[in-house]
Amino acid sequence: MKFKHLILSATLILNVINTIAQTHTFTLGDESFLLDGKPFQMISGEMHYPRVPRQAWRARMKLAKAMGLNTIGTYVFWNLHEPQKGKFDFTGNNDVAEFVKIAREEGLWVILRPSPYVCAEWEFGGYPYWLQNETGLEVRSKEPRYLKEYESYIKEIGKQLAPLQINHGGNILMVQIENEYGSYGSDKEYLAINQKFFKEAGFDGLLYTCDPAPDLVKGHLPGLLPAVNGLDNPTKVKKIINDNHDGKGPYYIAEWYPAWFDWWGTKHHTVPAQQYASHLDSVLAAGISINMYMFHGGTTRGFMNGANYNDQNPYEPQISSYDYDAPLDEAGNATPKFMKFREVIQKYLPVGVKLPAVPAAKPTISIPAIRLTQSLSVLNILPTAKTNPTPLTFEDLHQDYGFVLYQSVIEGGKTGVLKLQQLRDYAVVMVNGKTVGTLDRRLNQDSLALTLPAGKITLDILVENLGRINFGKYLLQNKKGITQKVLFAGEEVRQWKMYSLPFANLNGLKFGAVKHDSGSPVIKKGGFNLNKVGDTYLNLSHWGKGVVWVNGHNLGRYWNVGPQQTLYLPLEWLKKGHNDIVMLELLKPNQNKIDGLNKPVLDQLQP
């Protein structure tokens, strides 16, 4: 009987795969999308492959099906796939084609958004940092250097994903060109070049644009379907699309926001489930297709968070958690919002269709207190320096993310103000190897009063890139580090050594036993043993500011200002037996212990 059951299960899976693997048609009707000539209401949820461990993609998609989604939306991230000019990467968590194929196996369609600008609360809005080193290059424009790099990138994306479009037997229904362009510009010639590039890259199915309602006229390319973001009044959705699409539909909300994201030092954002369940009901009742942003946010790991900045608001770097108060939480578990949305969606399923059961929550564990028994001062791991009379930016150093240490020797025996002109973004200032203060761009801090001892003084300034701006007119003002000059007591400090510390990996670090720390940023290492694995959360509320790696995986940044006080550690990256943990701590070098929790803390601010 068991063998027979396995055969039936395998047959069922193959039938699901074959259903989507057949060549289908997907076209625009006057009111609805048409799948194989029949009206099709897209109920989609956004989920980004780099924000979820590859081993968990399939499980998240099963939950998408259980909530009633028939489609998954995802951006494609240029800076992941071409981290250095001409060097492309589609391996591991960057294997976007495999992400799309798994969706097909799970009976899900895909909406693809390779833009190439994505916003997404992502570093530089998805652009690779090295674009800023191309003299005269202007993103989101007809500037020739930009178009050359853009064309090269989108052709590589086309090689990976164009064969997976529905008109080639795949499951990609539509492909979005650009992304909310109307919020940035209004050049229709530029949009037409986007369309041309996409078609030449092999994206020969349905293309569309998306924009917030106030900017849709500027960002829409006539001839393509205009989708609207951030609007869920059915009458208004239909009117704005009719007005820009020859009086016709289909009607598509490309970003419907049932939640919102967080940034450091600001309260955690939540949106009541019941309030948005009623909005979802009215939209689906009107026959409008929808992509909820986000269905599942996940985590922005490593150094890939972006930041907001405009003339009214200060610099606002986003936190590592991208929980987003979404229907599926950061760890991939169904929330009350998920269940309420599922109830609504069930009302609009075809007759006879029942939703799969909701998978049980993943197991969680609380790791007992971990002692960090090895330590290394950041000042003792410096690579070969680059020298220059004035400070060099990250971009000058051909460094993408992480930290740069700026070092100079100055004459002491005086009191004065140290001023870093255009600091980007956070600095730990050290005198003779000891921390004397910090400067924070969020708070418009660029100056520190110092009294220096007599003699020659070593001035070290460790600068962190907290994330490049990802939205608005300042995309081209995104260089990092000390971007102008340094003054002390009114005089310019010159003759600098720059040490690149990208922390792309921790290979080669030689730790010693923990001892009384000198008062400067440190890297600490420890280990812990597990009898079983489960999702867990590292409690960082008693630490200062830094980054955590477990078993070589960068879990993201922590910062006790909040609102995020924990880092999510997925069970997929833990193992039975011994596990390694490494922490870079900027502010509290004498901390030596960290503990685990079985749930996140995302809503606690500290002064």
Side-chain angles (χ1 to χ4, degrees):
M1 286 297 291
K2 195 174 284 186
F3 181 66
K4 185 178 178 182
H5 177 71
L6 285 171
I7 292 172
L8 287 172
S9 297
T11 303
L12 188 62
I13 291 168
L14 284 172
N15 286 340
V16 171
I17 294 170
N18 289 335
T19 299
I20 284 188
Q22 297 164 2
T23 300
H24 294 272
T25 62
F26 190 70
T27 55
L28 306 181
D30 288 351
E31 292 285 325
S32 306
F33 293 108
L34 301 176
L35 179 61
D36 297 333
K38 297 177 182 177
F40 175 76
Q41 186 171 28
M42 194 189 310
I43 307 176
S44 176
E46 188 93 0
M47 183 172 89
H48 300 148
Y49 55 99
R51 285 176 157 137
V52 179
R54 176 177 175 143
Q55 305 95 312
W57 288 346
R58 190 180 299 276
R60 303 296 194 272
M61 290 176 186
K62 288 184 184 298
L63 277 147
K65 290 284 286 186
M67 198 176 84
L69 302 185
N70 53 33
T71 307
I72 287 290
T74 186
Y75 283 124
V76 181
F77 299 83
W78 186 353
N79 54 13
L80 289 185
H81 296 299
E82 194 180 5
Q84 300 293 338
K85 183 175 178 175
K87 296 180 180 177
F88 289 92
D89 180 9
F90 295 97
T91 63
N93 243 89
N94 291 347
D95 191 350
V96 62
E98 182 64 15
F99 180 83
V100 172
K101 291 171 185 173
I102 292 173
R104 180 177 63 193
E105 291 167 7
E106 294 301 323
L108 289 161
W109 304 102
V110 168
I111 293 293
L112 192 70
R113 313 214 282 160
S115 298
Y117 162 77
V118 300
C119 187
E121 290 70 62
W122 192 265
E123 227 276 346
F124 201 3
Y127 283 125
Y129 86 98
W130 53 261
L131 289 179
Q132 297 182 103
N133 283 344
E134 302 290 309
T135 305
L137 185 147
E138 293 184 26
V139 298
R140 312 188 83 178
S141 79
K142 299 194 296 279
E143 191 279 317
R145 294 169 191 81
Y146 170 64
L147 293 180
K148 177 177 176 290
E149 301 301 342
Y150 173 6
E151 184 177 18
S152 170
Y153 159 74
I154 206 66
K155 283 181 176 175
E156 292 294 327
I157 297 300
K159 291 174 187 175
Q160 296 286 322
L161 296 170
L164 303 180
Q165 296 171 102
I166 188 170
N167 52 318
H168 295 277
N171 58 321
I172 295 173
L173 295 177
M174 294 197 303
V175 179
Q176 178 186 300
I177 69 164
E178 247 289 349
N179 184 51
E180 298 187 324
Y181 175 68
S183 302
Y184 187 85
S186 57
D187 187 340
K188 304 294 184 179
E189 288 184 7
Y190 166 65
L191 285 174
I193 292 169
N194 278 258
Q195 182 184 27
K196 173 176 174 286
F197 281 177
F198 271 61
K199 287 185 173 180
E200 290 174 349
F203 293 112
D204 54 359
L206 279 181
L207 303 177
Y208 74 101
T209 59
C210 81
D211 291 280
D215 304 318
L216 189 143
V217 173
K218 292 190 295 178
H220 170 233
L221 181 64
L224 298 187
L225 175 70
V228 65
N229 292 354
L231 196 64
D232 58 11
N233 177 301
T235 302
K236 291 180 179 178
V237 169
K238 290 187 175 183
K239 182 178 189 311
I240 195 168
I241 291 176
N242 282 337
D243 288 350
N244 290 276
H245 198 230
D246 300 326
K248 298 182 296 187
Y251 306 107
Y252 180 42
I253 304 170
E255 292 187 13
W256 178 71
Y257 305 113
W260 206 242
F261 62 91
D262 292 334
W263 52 96
W264 292 113
T266 305
K267 73 178 184 66
H268 178 50
H269 295 83
T270 58
V271 178
Q274 186 54 52
Q275 174 186 333
Y276 273 76
S278 61
H279 292 198
L280 178 62
D281 201 338
S282 63
V283 165
L284 296 183
I288 294 169
S289 288
I290 193 168
N291 178 50
M292 56 185 69
Y293 192 101
M294 300 290 295
F295 158 67
H296 173 50
T299 311
T300 310
R301 296 183 178 85
F303 303 112
M304 299 313 294
N305 67 278
N308 281 333
Y309 178 83
N310 58 43
D311 295 327
Q312 286 75 45
N313 295 316
Y315 173 74
E316 297 170 339
Q318 290 115 19
I319 66 173
S320 298
S321 170
Y322 204 59
D323 176 89
Y324 218 92
D325 192 35
L328 209 61
D329 69 15
E330 183 176 9
N333 294 311
T335 66
K337 185 175 286 185
F338 177 105
M339 301 307 291
K340 287 199 175 294
F341 287 3
R342 173 181 155 98
E343 289 172 13
V344 172
I345 293 169
Q346 277 182 315
K347 294 164 56 177
Y348 299 97
L349 295 177
V351 176
V353 174
K354 287 190 174 182
L355 293 180
V358 178
K362 299 165 70 185
T364 59
I365 59 173
S366 295
I367 299 175
I370 305 164
R371 293 211 165 269
L372 304 177
T373 56
Q374 297 175 279
S375 181
L376 187 60
S377 170
V378 169
L379 297 177
N380 291 335
I381 62 164
L382 302 181
T384 303
K386 291 191 178 179
T387 58
N388 201 62
T390 56
L392 298 173
T393 65
F394 278 55
E395 291 72 20
D396 294 332
L397 297 167
H398 298 280
Q399 181 178 334
D400 45 13
Y401 317 116
F403 300 75
V404 169
L405 184 85
Y406 295 82
Q407 186 179 85
S408 186
V409 176
I410 60 176
E411 197 62 49
K414 57 178 116 173
T415 296
V417 172
L418 179 74
K419 183 178 178 66
L420 279 57
Q421 293 186 340
Q422 292 299 310
L423 167 67
R424 296 180 181 168
D425 301 300
Y426 187 89
V428 178
V429 180
M430 292 163 271
V431 171
N432 289 341
K434 294 185 184 294
T435 298
V436 294
T438 61
L439 298 172
D440 185 348
R441 181 184 180 189
R442 294 178 314 125
L443 307 177
N444 293 315
Q445 296 172 345
D446 67 357
S447 301
L448 191 65
L450 296 179
T451 299
L452 300 181
K456 297 288 185 184
I457 300 300
T458 299
L459 175 66
D460 289 301
I461 306 172
L462 182 64
V463 175
E464 180 180 7
N465 164 8
L466 273 175
R468 292 181 178 86
I469 296 163
N470 60 261
F471 181 81
K473 66 182 181 179
Y474 292 103
L475 283 174
L476 284 169
Q477 298 178 33
N478 251 332
K479 292 192 173 180
K480 292 298 182 179
I482 300 173
T483 61
Q484 293 186 14
K485 63 178 76 168
V486 177
L487 304 171
F488 178 67
E491 295 184 6
E492 184 177 0
V493 179
R494 294 178 65 82
Q495 305 309 324
W496 290 92
K497 293 180 179 178
M498 271 72 55
Y499 300 91
S500 289
L501 297 166
F503 291 113
N505 62 63
L506 305 177
N507 298 340
L509 294 184
K510 292 182 171 57
F511 290 89
V514 165
K515 53 190 176 185
H516 182 70
D517 290 302
S518 64
S520 61
V522 294
I523 304 171
K524 299 206 168 181
K525 184 176 181 179
F528 56 97
N529 288 294
L530 296 176
N531 295 322
K532 63 176 182 178
V533 298
D535 280 342
T536 192
Y537 302 85
L538 299 179
N539 177 17
L540 285 310
S541 60
H542 301 298
W543 289 73
K545 186 178 194 311
V547 185
V548 179
W549 293 261
V550 172
N551 295 331
H553 295 281
N554 187 327
L555 303 186
R557 308 178 203 261
Y558 65 89
W559 196 353
N560 62 6
V561 298
Q564 177 178 359
Q565 299 294 347
T566 54
L567 274 174
Y568 169 53
L569 174 50
L571 66 84
E572 291 84 3
W573 291 349
L574 289 169
K575 53 192 177 183
K576 290 182 181 179
H578 182 79
N579 294 262
D580 288 313
I581 182 168
V582 177
M583 298 181 64
L584 167 65
E585 170 59 44
L586 303 182
L587 305 178
K588 295 185 175 183
N590 292 315
Q591 281 282 36
N592 291 318
K593 191 173 78 169
I594 182 171
D595 58 356
L597 301 172
N598 62 5
K599 61 182 179 180
V601 179
L602 300 176
D603 58 356
Q604 290 186 11
L605 295 170
Q606 294 190 28

PDB file of all heavy atoms in Angstrom, residues 352 412 514:
ATOM      1  N   GLY A 352     -15.830  24.581  -7.105  1.00  0.00           N
ATOM      2  CA  GLY A 352     -15.250  23.259  -6.907  1.00  0.00           C
ATOM      3  C   GLY A 352     -13.797  23.254  -6.485  1.00  0.00           C
ATOM      4  O   GLY A 352     -13.257  22.196  -6.143  1.00  0.00           O
ATOM      5  N   GLY A 412      49.122  66.454  18.182  1.00  0.00           N
ATOM      6  CA  GLY A 412      48.219  66.564  19.323  1.00  0.00           C
ATOM      7  C   GLY A 412      48.490  67.787  20.172  1.00  0.00           C
ATOM      8  O   GLY A 412      49.061  68.788  19.711  1.00  0.00           O
ATOM      9  N   VAL A 514      39.744  35.846  24.283  1.00  0.00           N
ATOM     10  CA  VAL A 514      39.167  37.112  24.723  1.00  0.00           C
ATOM     11  C   VAL A 514      39.975  37.653  25.893  1.00  0.00           C
ATOM     12  O   VAL A 514      40.291  36.945  26.838  1.00  0.00           O
ATOM     13  CB  VAL A 514      37.693  36.921  25.138  1.00  0.00           C
ATOM     14  CG1 VAL A 514      37.201  38.121  25.942  1.00  0.00           C
ATOM     15  CG2 VAL A 514      36.822  36.747  23.909  1.00  0.00           C
TER      16      VAL A 514
END
